[in-house]
Amino acid sequence: ENHIPFVVIDNNPNLAQIAEENSYPYFIIGEPHMENTLLKAHLSSAKSVITLSPNLADNIAIISVVRLYEKELGRTPYFIMTNADTQNDIEKLKKLGANSVVSPSKLAAQRLSAVSVRPDMENILERFLYQKDSPIDIEEISVPEYSWIRFKRLKETRLREMTNADVVGIKEPNNKFTPMPSGEFLIGSDVKFLVIGTAEGIMATKKLINSKYKPQEMKYV
């Protein structure tokens, strides 16, 4: 639905029927942790791998195979996402090479806790952040070394005026997070902006942040 190509791999013999019912464009019936299966899926051209086996050993095997394959190719590292039930398993999978580990029980607990404190927030989250056709989006944008906004105060960048998107948080290299930063915030190296706005506004913000030169529009805002 978001026009991101993907291949589903599963050893379920009914996968063809499941794929038809859910409009999966590509699928392979086979063991996901086997190298031959991953090669059939054209892993070399992929950007990321999502492994969601209920069996921890399968997830470990897939992560190991993918990391070894990426080293053989000498390519940019894959983004690997997986799942786990316990904190111990989460830490183990991250050490083995997973970039992101999702805990369904932990996510459910956080969601229940948030909604119980602020019941009105549930509708807002469902309507504006979780739906694919939402007019509002949120994204983390890294500030590159060459960006023209480095070593400037946030107010000097005039990002809000030019893109109509808001910087609602800034994460620094030491993991310090500043929510709702003031205009006096000094933008250093290797910081990440948490930006909220329309898809167009976020895209425009990313383009400005990734530019080496101060935009001409600054003359008019």
Side-chain angles (χ1 to χ4, degrees), residues 8-217:
V8 176
I9 305 173
D10 201 301
N11 59 7
N12 188 333
N14 298 318
L15 182 58
Q17 181 182 344
I18 296 170
E20 184 178 356
E21 291 173 354
N22 293 278
S23 302
Y24 295 159
Y26 309 105
F27 66 91
I28 294 174
I29 300 176
E31 295 293 342
H33 60 275
M34 298 297 291
E35 186 174 359
N36 287 340
T37 307
L38 293 173
L39 292 177
K40 287 180 182 177
H42 294 282
L43 178 62
S44 59
S45 62
K47 290 184 178 180
S48 62
V49 174
I50 302 174
T51 168
L52 303 173
S53 173
N55 187 336
L56 178 66
D58 287 344
N59 288 331
I60 291 174
I62 293 170
I63 292 170
S64 300
V65 169
V66 170
R67 289 302 182 210
L68 286 172
Y69 186 59
E70 104 190 353
K71 286 181 180 178
E72 289 179 10
L73 294 177
R75 54 154 286 160
T76 304
Y78 293 100
F79 180 86
I80 300 179
M81 179 183 288
T82 185
N83 64 308
D85 290 324
T86 68
Q87 187 61 38
N88 184 48
D89 288 344
I90 290 173
E91 293 173 3
K92 185 184 299 182
L93 289 167
K94 285 185 176 180
K95 287 179 181 178
L96 288 169
N99 299 98
S100 176
V101 184
V102 176
S103 173
S105 56
K106 186 176 180 180
L107 287 174
Q110 290 173 339
R111 184 76 180 274
L112 288 167
S113 177
V115 173
S116 65
V117 175
R118 292 284 305 277
D120 54 315
M121 288 299 293
E122 182 175 24
N123 289 334
I124 294 175
L125 291 173
E126 290 290 351
R127 184 176 178 186
F128 294 115
L129 289 182
Y130 298 145
Q131 293 184 11
K132 64 179 178 60
D133 56 352
S134 168
I136 296 177
D137 205 352
I138 187 165
E139 188 170 332
E140 187 178 78
I141 302 174
S142 297
V143 177
E145 292 290 325
Y146 55 79
S147 177
W148 67 276
I149 72 171
R150 286 178 67 228
F151 309 123
K152 287 183 170 56
R153 303 284 178 185
L154 185 58
K155 65 181 180 182
E156 295 177 303
T157 66
R158 312 296 287 274
L159 291 174
R160 177 69 174 81
E161 290 92 330
M162 288 189 289
T163 68
N164 204 31
D166 287 301
V167 178
V168 295
I170 297 179
K171 184 180 179 182
E172 299 178 67
N174 60 2
N175 285 326
K176 179 184 177 183
F177 182 76
T178 303
M180 303 306 296
S182 72
E184 296 299 325
F185 186 95
L186 182 64
I187 304 167
S189 301
D190 300 320
V191 300
K192 295 180 180 180
F193 285 0
L194 187 62
V195 180
I196 190 167
T198 63
E200 293 79 9
I202 290 176
M203 189 179 298
T205 302
K206 188 182 294 186
K207 185 177 179 181
L208 284 173
I209 289 174
N210 282 283
S211 175
K212 291 182 180 179
Y213 307 106
K214 189 177 183 179
Q216 293 294 319
E217 293 93 324

